[in-house]
Amino acid sequence: MTAIDKDGIGKALHGLWNVFLIEGIILIVLGSAAILVPAVASLTVAIVLGWIFLLGGIVGLVAALVGRSGPGFRWAVISALVSIAAGFLLVGWPVGGAISLTFVLAAYLVADGVVTILFALEHRRQLSQRWGWLVVNGVLDLLLAAIIVLALPGSAVWALGLLIGIDLVFAGWSLVAMALAARKAAA
């Protein structure tokens, strides 16, 4: 990045520091609420995803029917119907949806943990002493996945909401820090 680019970004950040600060504070509040009431957050995630699938499936079905003379018509209809069914199930039975999403979360954590460990081991020479942190991260992913799976179905009540809440809090604090640095840098 050239000095001009850095100055342009700095000026833009300084001009919007208060927007980032407000966004960060809102994310911290929402994340804290999700951490304090993870069951509500988990069910909310299932319901919101359900509506996204349901509405997306309806739009997909309408688009497929309008373009029925195009290639892949049957597959487009099948895809839309699957989305509608998934959305209907998530909206109609959010607890079951939260359990399903918790399985997906656990599978993701296992895959990410294994890949992170393998990456660290393969690149340990290039990463110097820091490769151990990647192994620790991978092991923590595997440990978290094990805790979630062993605690099922009870973990479906708290896992999604808690992890989303933690992510929102960290994202919020990151935005607050960036906003305050941008405000201070131009002062």
PDB file of all heavy atoms in Angstrom, residues 57-96:
ATOM      1  N   GLY A  57     -36.052 -20.648  -0.864  1.00  0.00           N
ATOM      2  CA  GLY A  57     -36.644 -21.748  -1.622  1.00  0.00           C
ATOM      3  C   GLY A  57     -37.853 -21.306  -2.420  1.00  0.00           C
ATOM      4  O   GLY A  57     -38.037 -21.716  -3.576  1.00  0.00           O
ATOM      5  N   ILE A  58     -38.676 -20.453  -1.827  1.00  0.00           N
ATOM      6  CA  ILE A  58     -39.855 -19.947  -2.542  1.00  0.00           C
ATOM      7  C   ILE A  58     -39.426 -19.118  -3.742  1.00  0.00           C
ATOM      8  O   ILE A  58     -39.947 -19.283  -4.854  1.00  0.00           O
ATOM      9  CB  ILE A  58     -40.767 -19.133  -1.593  1.00  0.00           C
ATOM     10  CG1 ILE A  58     -41.414 -20.082  -0.559  1.00  0.00           C
ATOM     11  CG2 ILE A  58     -41.823 -18.356  -2.370  1.00  0.00           C
ATOM     12  CD1 ILE A  58     -42.122 -19.368   0.580  1.00  0.00           C
ATOM     13  N   VAL A  59     -38.443 -18.240  -3.546  1.00  0.00           N
ATOM     14  CA  VAL A  59     -37.934 -17.427  -4.657  1.00  0.00           C
ATOM     15  C   VAL A  59     -37.335 -18.337  -5.732  1.00  0.00           C
ATOM     16  O   VAL A  59     -37.564 -18.142  -6.934  1.00  0.00           O
ATOM     17  CB  VAL A  59     -36.896 -16.392  -4.162  1.00  0.00           C
ATOM     18  CG1 VAL A  59     -36.168 -15.733  -5.319  1.00  0.00           C
ATOM     19  CG2 VAL A  59     -37.569 -15.351  -3.279  1.00  0.00           C
ATOM     20  N   GLY A  60     -36.586 -19.358  -5.305  1.00  0.00           N
ATOM     21  CA  GLY A  60     -36.002 -20.303  -6.259  1.00  0.00           C
ATOM     22  C   GLY A  60     -37.048 -21.069  -7.036  1.00  0.00           C
ATOM     23  O   GLY A  60     -36.894 -21.310  -8.244  1.00  0.00           O
ATOM     24  N   LEU A  61     -38.126 -21.455  -6.374  1.00  0.00           N
ATOM     25  CA  LEU A  61     -39.203 -22.180  -7.045  1.00  0.00           C
ATOM     26  C   LEU A  61     -39.900 -21.293  -8.069  1.00  0.00           C
ATOM     27  O   LEU A  61     -40.167 -21.713  -9.196  1.00  0.00           O
ATOM     28  CB  LEU A  61     -40.213 -22.712  -6.019  1.00  0.00           C
ATOM     29  CG  LEU A  61     -41.351 -23.561  -6.574  1.00  0.00           C
ATOM     30  CD1 LEU A  61     -40.807 -24.801  -7.280  1.00  0.00           C
ATOM     31  CD2 LEU A  61     -42.295 -23.959  -5.442  1.00  0.00           C
ATOM     32  N   VAL A  62     -40.184 -20.059  -7.687  1.00  0.00           N
ATOM     33  CA  VAL A  62     -40.812 -19.122  -8.619  1.00  0.00           C
ATOM     34  C   VAL A  62     -39.898 -18.897  -9.829  1.00  0.00           C
ATOM     35  O   VAL A  62     -40.350 -18.932 -10.979  1.00  0.00           O
ATOM     36  CB  VAL A  62     -41.156 -17.784  -7.923  1.00  0.00           C
ATOM     37  CG1 VAL A  62     -41.566 -16.716  -8.930  1.00  0.00           C
ATOM     38  CG2 VAL A  62     -42.249 -17.992  -6.887  1.00  0.00           C
ATOM     39  N   ALA A  63     -38.611 -18.695  -9.573  1.00  0.00           N
ATOM     40  CA  ALA A  63     -37.658 -18.486 -10.673  1.00  0.00           C
ATOM     41  C   ALA A  63     -37.591 -19.709 -11.580  1.00  0.00           C
ATOM     42  O   ALA A  63     -37.533 -19.580 -12.808  1.00  0.00           O
ATOM     43  CB  ALA A  63     -36.275 -18.157 -10.114  1.00  0.00           C
ATOM     44  N   ALA A  64     -37.612 -20.899 -10.990  1.00  0.00           N
ATOM     45  CA  ALA A  64     -37.566 -22.123 -11.797  1.00  0.00           C
ATOM     46  C   ALA A  64     -38.823 -22.257 -12.642  1.00  0.00           C
ATOM     47  O   ALA A  64     -38.754 -22.638 -13.817  1.00  0.00           O
ATOM     48  CB  ALA A  64     -37.411 -23.345 -10.886  1.00  0.00           C
ATOM     49  N   LEU A  65     -39.976 -21.940 -12.066  1.00  0.00           N
ATOM     50  CA  LEU A  65     -41.224 -22.053 -12.817  1.00  0.00           C
ATOM     51  C   LEU A  65     -41.302 -21.018 -13.940  1.00  0.00           C
ATOM     52  O   LEU A  65     -41.786 -21.329 -15.027  1.00  0.00           O
ATOM     53  CB  LEU A  65     -42.424 -21.933 -11.875  1.00  0.00           C
ATOM     54  CG  LEU A  65     -42.584 -23.082 -10.872  1.00  0.00           C
ATOM     55  CD1 LEU A  65     -43.713 -22.789  -9.889  1.00  0.00           C
ATOM     56  CD2 LEU A  65     -42.803 -24.409 -11.589  1.00  0.00           C
ATOM     57  N   VAL A  66     -40.819 -19.821 -13.675  1.00  0.00           N
ATOM     58  CA  VAL A  66     -40.812 -18.786 -14.710  1.00  0.00           C
ATOM     59  C   VAL A  66     -39.872 -19.197 -15.849  1.00  0.00           C
ATOM     60  O   VAL A  66     -40.194 -19.004 -17.019  1.00  0.00           O
ATOM     61  CB  VAL A  66     -40.403 -17.417 -14.121  1.00  0.00           C
ATOM     62  CG1 VAL A  66     -40.103 -16.400 -15.214  1.00  0.00           C
ATOM     63  CG2 VAL A  66     -41.492 -16.893 -13.197  1.00  0.00           C
ATOM     64  N   GLY A  67     -38.745 -19.787 -15.503  1.00  0.00           N
ATOM     65  CA  GLY A  67     -37.779 -20.195 -16.523  1.00  0.00           C
ATOM     66  C   GLY A  67     -37.807 -21.679 -16.825  1.00  0.00           C
ATOM     67  O   GLY A  67     -36.778 -22.289 -17.097  1.00  0.00           O
ATOM     68  N   ARG A  68     -38.986 -22.272 -16.794  1.00  0.00           N
ATOM     69  CA  ARG A  68     -39.105 -23.729 -16.938  1.00  0.00           C
ATOM     70  C   ARG A  68     -38.601 -24.256 -18.275  1.00  0.00           C
ATOM     71  O   ARG A  68     -38.290 -25.421 -18.397  1.00  0.00           O
ATOM     72  CB  ARG A  68     -40.520 -24.197 -16.661  1.00  0.00           C
ATOM     73  CG  ARG A  68     -41.554 -23.804 -17.665  1.00  0.00           C
ATOM     74  CD  ARG A  68     -42.921 -24.410 -17.313  1.00  0.00           C
ATOM     75  NE  ARG A  68     -43.984 -23.456 -17.597  1.00  0.00           N
ATOM     76  CZ  ARG A  68     -44.583 -22.689 -16.713  1.00  0.00           C
ATOM     77  NH1 ARG A  68     -44.223 -22.746 -15.458  1.00  0.00           N
ATOM     78  NH2 ARG A  68     -45.529 -21.858 -17.064  1.00  0.00           N
ATOM     79  N   SER A  69     -38.503 -23.416 -19.272  1.00  0.00           N
ATOM     80  CA  SER A  69     -38.004 -23.900 -20.561  1.00  0.00           C
ATOM     81  C   SER A  69     -36.475 -23.947 -20.592  1.00  0.00           C
ATOM     82  O   SER A  69     -35.896 -24.490 -21.526  1.00  0.00           O
ATOM     83  CB  SER A  69     -38.517 -22.995 -21.690  1.00  0.00           C
ATOM     84  OG  SER A  69     -38.041 -21.667 -21.496  1.00  0.00           O
ATOM     85  N   GLY A  70     -35.819 -23.412 -19.557  1.00  0.00           N
ATOM     86  CA  GLY A  70     -34.359 -23.405 -19.514  1.00  0.00           C
ATOM     87  C   GLY A  70     -33.788 -24.741 -19.080  1.00  0.00           C
ATOM     88  O   GLY A  70     -34.503 -25.644 -18.627  1.00  0.00           O
ATOM     89  N   PRO A  71     -32.482 -24.888 -19.223  1.00  0.00           N
ATOM     90  CA  PRO A  71     -31.835 -26.150 -18.823  1.00  0.00           C
ATOM     91  C   PRO A  71     -31.860 -26.323 -17.308  1.00  0.00           C
ATOM     92  O   PRO A  71     -31.815 -25.351 -16.558  1.00  0.00           O
ATOM     93  CB  PRO A  71     -30.399 -25.981 -19.341  1.00  0.00           C
ATOM     94  CG  PRO A  71     -30.195 -24.504 -19.423  1.00  0.00           C
ATOM     95  CD  PRO A  71     -31.533 -23.914 -19.734  1.00  0.00           C
ATOM     96  N   GLY A  72     -31.963 -27.556 -16.860  1.00  0.00           N
ATOM     97  CA  GLY A  72     -31.912 -27.871 -15.435  1.00  0.00           C
ATOM     98  C   GLY A  72     -33.172 -27.557 -14.666  1.00  0.00           C
ATOM     99  O   GLY A  72     -33.130 -27.432 -13.442  1.00  0.00           O
ATOM    100  N   PHE A  73     -34.293 -27.460 -15.369  1.00  0.00           N
ATOM    101  CA  PHE A  73     -35.554 -27.099 -14.716  1.00  0.00           C
ATOM    102  C   PHE A  73     -35.879 -28.031 -13.557  1.00  0.00           C
ATOM    103  O   PHE A  73     -36.188 -27.582 -12.460  1.00  0.00           O
ATOM    104  CB  PHE A  73     -36.695 -27.099 -15.750  1.00  0.00           C
ATOM    105  CG  PHE A  73     -38.067 -27.033 -15.125  1.00  0.00           C
ATOM    106  CD1 PHE A  73     -38.509 -25.858 -14.534  1.00  0.00           C
ATOM    107  CD2 PHE A  73     -38.910 -28.143 -15.117  1.00  0.00           C
ATOM    108  CE1 PHE A  73     -39.766 -25.785 -13.955  1.00  0.00           C
ATOM    109  CE2 PHE A  73     -40.167 -28.075 -14.539  1.00  0.00           C
ATOM    110  CZ  PHE A  73     -40.603 -26.897 -13.953  1.00  0.00           C
ATOM    111  N   ARG A  74     -35.808 -29.340 -13.790  1.00  0.00           N
ATOM    112  CA  ARG A  74     -36.157 -30.309 -12.735  1.00  0.00           C
ATOM    113  C   ARG A  74     -35.248 -30.165 -11.520  1.00  0.00           C
ATOM    114  O   ARG A  74     -35.698 -30.234 -10.390  1.00  0.00           O
ATOM    115  CB  ARG A  74     -36.101 -31.737 -13.280  1.00  0.00           C
ATOM    116  CG  ARG A  74     -37.233 -32.061 -14.202  1.00  0.00           C
ATOM    117  CD  ARG A  74     -37.227 -33.537 -14.585  1.00  0.00           C
ATOM    118  NE  ARG A  74     -38.320 -33.817 -15.465  1.00  0.00           N
ATOM    119  CZ  ARG A  74     -38.193 -34.196 -16.723  1.00  0.00           C
ATOM    120  NH1 ARG A  74     -37.012 -34.361 -17.255  1.00  0.00           N
ATOM    121  NH2 ARG A  74     -39.258 -34.418 -17.466  1.00  0.00           N
ATOM    122  N   TRP A  75     -33.946 -29.973 -11.790  1.00  0.00           N
ATOM    123  CA  TRP A  75     -33.005 -29.839 -10.671  1.00  0.00           C
ATOM    124  C   TRP A  75     -33.252 -28.557  -9.893  1.00  0.00           C
ATOM    125  O   TRP A  75     -33.131 -28.528  -8.671  1.00  0.00           O
ATOM    126  CB  TRP A  75     -31.567 -29.895 -11.180  1.00  0.00           C
ATOM    127  CG  TRP A  75     -31.228 -31.242 -11.717  1.00  0.00           C
ATOM    128  CD1 TRP A  75     -30.936 -31.557 -13.013  1.00  0.00           C
ATOM    129  CD2 TRP A  75     -31.190 -32.478 -10.994  1.00  0.00           C
ATOM    130  NE1 TRP A  75     -30.710 -32.907 -13.142  1.00  0.00           N
ATOM    131  CE2 TRP A  75     -30.863 -33.498 -11.899  1.00  0.00           C
ATOM    132  CE3 TRP A  75     -31.399 -32.835  -9.661  1.00  0.00           C
ATOM    133  CZ2 TRP A  75     -30.732 -34.829 -11.542  1.00  0.00           C
ATOM    134  CZ3 TRP A  75     -31.280 -34.160  -9.290  1.00  0.00           C
ATOM    135  CH2 TRP A  75     -30.952 -35.133 -10.218  1.00  0.00           C
ATOM    136  N   ALA A  76     -33.608 -27.494 -10.594  1.00  0.00           N
ATOM    137  CA  ALA A  76     -33.906 -26.227  -9.926  1.00  0.00           C
ATOM    138  C   ALA A  76     -35.135 -26.368  -9.035  1.00  0.00           C
ATOM    139  O   ALA A  76     -35.169 -25.857  -7.909  1.00  0.00           O
ATOM    140  CB  ALA A  76     -34.099 -25.118 -10.955  1.00  0.00           C
ATOM    141  N   VAL A  77     -36.156 -27.087  -9.538  1.00  0.00           N
ATOM    142  CA  VAL A  77     -37.370 -27.306  -8.741  1.00  0.00           C
ATOM    143  C   VAL A  77     -37.048 -28.162  -7.522  1.00  0.00           C
ATOM    144  O   VAL A  77     -37.474 -27.859  -6.403  1.00  0.00           O
ATOM    145  CB  VAL A  77     -38.489 -27.948  -9.604  1.00  0.00           C
ATOM    146  CG1 VAL A  77     -39.643 -28.425  -8.729  1.00  0.00           C
ATOM    147  CG2 VAL A  77     -38.978 -26.964 -10.655  1.00  0.00           C
ATOM    148  N   ILE A  78     -36.269 -29.223  -7.714  1.00  0.00           N
ATOM    149  CA  ILE A  78     -35.892 -30.095  -6.589  1.00  0.00           C
ATOM    150  C   ILE A  78     -35.103 -29.307  -5.548  1.00  0.00           C
ATOM    151  O   ILE A  78     -35.369 -29.399  -4.343  1.00  0.00           O
ATOM    152  CB  ILE A  78     -35.107 -31.329  -7.087  1.00  0.00           C
ATOM    153  CG1 ILE A  78     -36.043 -32.251  -7.877  1.00  0.00           C
ATOM    154  CG2 ILE A  78     -34.455 -32.073  -5.922  1.00  0.00           C
ATOM    155  CD1 ILE A  78     -35.328 -33.370  -8.622  1.00  0.00           C
ATOM    156  N   SER A  79     -34.146 -28.515  -6.003  1.00  0.00           N
ATOM    157  CA  SER A  79     -33.342 -27.706  -5.086  1.00  0.00           C
ATOM    158  C   SER A  79     -34.220 -26.743  -4.293  1.00  0.00           C
ATOM    159  O   SER A  79     -34.061 -26.594  -3.075  1.00  0.00           O
ATOM    160  CB  SER A  79     -32.285 -26.924  -5.879  1.00  0.00           C
ATOM    161  OG  SER A  79     -31.579 -26.059  -5.042  1.00  0.00           O
ATOM    162  N   ALA A  80     -35.150 -26.086  -4.980  1.00  0.00           N
ATOM    163  CA  ALA A  80     -36.053 -25.149  -4.309  1.00  0.00           C
ATOM    164  C   ALA A  80     -36.931 -25.860  -3.292  1.00  0.00           C
ATOM    165  O   ALA A  80     -37.137 -25.368  -2.179  1.00  0.00           O
ATOM    166  CB  ALA A  80     -36.909 -24.423  -5.346  1.00  0.00           C
ATOM    167  N   LEU A  81     -37.445 -27.035  -3.655  1.00  0.00           N
ATOM    168  CA  LEU A  81     -38.297 -27.788  -2.727  1.00  0.00           C
ATOM    169  C   LEU A  81     -37.523 -28.260  -1.498  1.00  0.00           C
ATOM    170  O   LEU A  81     -38.056 -28.268  -0.378  1.00  0.00           O
ATOM    171  CB  LEU A  81     -38.957 -28.963  -3.449  1.00  0.00           C
ATOM    172  CG  LEU A  81     -40.005 -28.580  -4.503  1.00  0.00           C
ATOM    173  CD1 LEU A  81     -40.499 -29.819  -5.244  1.00  0.00           C
ATOM    174  CD2 LEU A  81     -41.161 -27.810  -3.876  1.00  0.00           C
ATOM    175  N   VAL A  82     -36.267 -28.644  -1.694  1.00  0.00           N
ATOM    176  CA  VAL A  82     -35.423 -29.039  -0.551  1.00  0.00           C
ATOM    177  C   VAL A  82     -35.221 -27.843   0.375  1.00  0.00           C
ATOM    178  O   VAL A  82     -35.314 -27.977   1.605  1.00  0.00           O
ATOM    179  CB  VAL A  82     -34.071 -29.621  -1.037  1.00  0.00           C
ATOM    180  CG1 VAL A  82     -33.081 -29.749   0.103  1.00  0.00           C
ATOM    181  CG2 VAL A  82     -34.286 -30.968  -1.711  1.00  0.00           C
ATOM    182  N   SER A  83     -34.956 -26.666  -0.194  1.00  0.00           N
ATOM    183  CA  SER A  83     -34.791 -25.458   0.624  1.00  0.00           C
ATOM    184  C   SER A  83     -36.070 -25.123   1.379  1.00  0.00           C
ATOM    185  O   SER A  83     -36.028 -24.763   2.561  1.00  0.00           O
ATOM    186  CB  SER A  83     -34.383 -24.268  -0.248  1.00  0.00           C
ATOM    187  OG  SER A  83     -33.086 -24.434  -0.741  1.00  0.00           O
ATOM    188  N   ILE A  84     -37.195 -25.229   0.703  1.00  0.00           N
ATOM    189  CA  ILE A  84     -38.478 -24.956   1.356  1.00  0.00           C
ATOM    190  C   ILE A  84     -38.712 -25.942   2.498  1.00  0.00           C
ATOM    191  O   ILE A  84     -39.120 -25.551   3.595  1.00  0.00           O
ATOM    192  CB  ILE A  84     -39.635 -25.004   0.329  1.00  0.00           C
ATOM    193  CG1 ILE A  84     -39.520 -23.813  -0.622  1.00  0.00           C
ATOM    194  CG2 ILE A  84     -40.996 -25.024   1.027  1.00  0.00           C
ATOM    195  CD1 ILE A  84     -40.452 -23.883  -1.833  1.00  0.00           C
ATOM    196  N   ALA A  85     -38.445 -27.216   2.258  1.00  0.00           N
ATOM    197  CA  ALA A  85     -38.637 -28.228   3.306  1.00  0.00           C
ATOM    198  C   ALA A  85     -37.709 -27.973   4.489  1.00  0.00           C
ATOM    199  O   ALA A  85     -38.136 -28.033   5.650  1.00  0.00           O
ATOM    200  CB  ALA A  85     -38.401 -29.631   2.729  1.00  0.00           C
ATOM    201  N   ALA A  86     -36.443 -27.676   4.210  1.00  0.00           N
ATOM    202  CA  ALA A  86     -35.494 -27.395   5.297  1.00  0.00           C
ATOM    203  C   ALA A  86     -35.949 -26.175   6.091  1.00  0.00           C
ATOM    204  O   ALA A  86     -35.918 -26.176   7.326  1.00  0.00           O
ATOM    205  CB  ALA A  86     -34.090 -27.180   4.735  1.00  0.00           C
ATOM    206  N   GLY A  87     -36.379 -25.139   5.389  1.00  0.00           N
ATOM    207  CA  GLY A  87     -36.859 -23.941   6.069  1.00  0.00           C
ATOM    208  C   GLY A  87     -38.084 -24.207   6.907  1.00  0.00           C
ATOM    209  O   GLY A  87     -38.182 -23.755   8.051  1.00  0.00           O
ATOM    210  N   PHE A  88     -39.013 -24.967   6.343  1.00  0.00           N
ATOM    211  CA  PHE A  88     -40.236 -25.312   7.076  1.00  0.00           C
ATOM    212  C   PHE A  88     -39.903 -26.080   8.356  1.00  0.00           C
ATOM    213  O   PHE A  88     -40.457 -25.810   9.425  1.00  0.00           O
ATOM    214  CB  PHE A  88     -41.159 -26.137   6.168  1.00  0.00           C
ATOM    215  CG  PHE A  88     -42.422 -26.577   6.840  1.00  0.00           C
ATOM    216  CD1 PHE A  88     -43.441 -25.678   7.087  1.00  0.00           C
ATOM    217  CD2 PHE A  88     -42.590 -27.904   7.228  1.00  0.00           C
ATOM    218  CE1 PHE A  88     -44.616 -26.082   7.717  1.00  0.00           C
ATOM    219  CE2 PHE A  88     -43.746 -28.314   7.857  1.00  0.00           C
ATOM    220  CZ  PHE A  88     -44.778 -27.407   8.107  1.00  0.00           C
ATOM    221  N   LEU A  89     -38.973 -27.034   8.257  1.00  0.00           N
ATOM    222  CA  LEU A  89     -38.584 -27.820   9.434  1.00  0.00           C
ATOM    223  C   LEU A  89     -37.898 -26.964  10.489  1.00  0.00           C
ATOM    224  O   LEU A  89     -38.159 -27.112  11.693  1.00  0.00           O
ATOM    225  CB  LEU A  89     -37.683 -28.988   9.024  1.00  0.00           C
ATOM    226  CG  LEU A  89     -38.370 -30.086   8.215  1.00  0.00           C
ATOM    227  CD1 LEU A  89     -37.341 -31.068   7.670  1.00  0.00           C
ATOM    228  CD2 LEU A  89     -39.413 -30.798   9.064  1.00  0.00           C
ATOM    229  N   LEU A  90     -37.005 -26.067  10.058  1.00  0.00           N
ATOM    230  CA  LEU A  90     -36.309 -25.216  11.028  1.00  0.00           C
ATOM    231  C   LEU A  90     -37.257 -24.235  11.706  1.00  0.00           C
ATOM    232  O   LEU A  90     -37.153 -23.998  12.912  1.00  0.00           O
ATOM    233  CB  LEU A  90     -35.172 -24.456  10.343  1.00  0.00           C
ATOM    234  CG  LEU A  90     -33.919 -25.257  10.014  1.00  0.00           C
ATOM    235  CD1 LEU A  90     -32.992 -24.467   9.111  1.00  0.00           C
ATOM    236  CD2 LEU A  90     -33.193 -25.673  11.288  1.00  0.00           C
ATOM    237  N   VAL A  91     -38.177 -23.656  10.941  1.00  0.00           N
ATOM    238  CA  VAL A  91     -39.126 -22.709  11.524  1.00  0.00           C
ATOM    239  C   VAL A  91     -40.150 -23.438  12.391  1.00  0.00           C
ATOM    240  O   VAL A  91     -40.500 -22.986  13.481  1.00  0.00           O
ATOM    241  CB  VAL A  91     -39.829 -21.875  10.419  1.00  0.00           C
ATOM    242  CG1 VAL A  91     -40.986 -21.068  10.984  1.00  0.00           C
ATOM    243  CG2 VAL A  91     -38.823 -20.966   9.732  1.00  0.00           C
ATOM    244  N   GLY A  92     -40.625 -24.576  11.909  1.00  0.00           N
ATOM    245  CA  GLY A  92     -41.664 -25.321  12.632  1.00  0.00           C
ATOM    246  C   GLY A  92     -41.167 -26.048  13.866  1.00  0.00           C
ATOM    247  O   GLY A  92     -41.890 -26.176  14.849  1.00  0.00           O
ATOM    248  N   TRP A  93     -39.938 -26.520  13.831  1.00  0.00           N
ATOM    249  CA  TRP A  93     -39.365 -27.269  14.945  1.00  0.00           C
ATOM    250  C   TRP A  93     -37.949 -26.771  15.229  1.00  0.00           C
ATOM    251  O   TRP A  93     -36.951 -27.447  14.943  1.00  0.00           O
ATOM    252  CB  TRP A  93     -39.338 -28.769  14.620  1.00  0.00           C
ATOM    253  CG  TRP A  93     -40.711 -29.337  14.500  1.00  0.00           C
ATOM    254  CD1 TRP A  93     -41.493 -29.809  15.509  1.00  0.00           C
ATOM    255  CD2 TRP A  93     -41.485 -29.478  13.308  1.00  0.00           C
ATOM    256  NE1 TRP A  93     -42.704 -30.222  15.017  1.00  0.00           N
ATOM    257  CE2 TRP A  93     -42.725 -30.030  13.661  1.00  0.00           C
ATOM    258  CE3 TRP A  93     -41.259 -29.177  11.962  1.00  0.00           C
ATOM    259  CZ2 TRP A  93     -43.718 -30.289  12.732  1.00  0.00           C
ATOM    260  CZ3 TRP A  93     -42.249 -29.427  11.033  1.00  0.00           C
ATOM    261  CH2 TRP A  93     -43.456 -29.986  11.426  1.00  0.00           C
ATOM    262  N   PRO A  94     -37.844 -25.551  15.789  1.00  0.00           N
ATOM    263  CA  PRO A  94     -36.520 -24.948  15.977  1.00  0.00           C
ATOM    264  C   PRO A  94     -35.602 -25.720  16.928  1.00  0.00           C
ATOM    265  O   PRO A  94     -34.389 -25.676  16.772  1.00  0.00           O
ATOM    266  CB  PRO A  94     -36.826 -23.548  16.504  1.00  0.00           C
ATOM    267  CG  PRO A  94     -38.212 -23.616  17.028  1.00  0.00           C
ATOM    268  CD  PRO A  94     -38.917 -24.681  16.251  1.00  0.00           C
ATOM    269  N   VAL A  95     -36.169 -26.465  17.872  1.00  0.00           N
ATOM    270  CA  VAL A  95     -35.310 -27.249  18.774  1.00  0.00           C
ATOM    271  C   VAL A  95     -34.600 -28.349  17.988  1.00  0.00           C
ATOM    272  O   VAL A  95     -33.393 -28.545  18.113  1.00  0.00           O
ATOM    273  CB  VAL A  95     -36.125 -27.839  19.951  1.00  0.00           C
ATOM    274  CG1 VAL A  95     -35.271 -28.780  20.782  1.00  0.00           C
ATOM    275  CG2 VAL A  95     -36.681 -26.719  20.822  1.00  0.00           C
ATOM    276  N   GLY A  96     -35.354 -29.042  17.142  1.00  0.00           N
ATOM    277  CA  GLY A  96     -34.737 -30.051  16.278  1.00  0.00           C
ATOM    278  C   GLY A  96     -33.728 -29.423  15.334  1.00  0.00           C
ATOM    279  O   GLY A  96     -32.667 -29.988  15.058  1.00  0.00           O
TER     280      GLY A  96
END
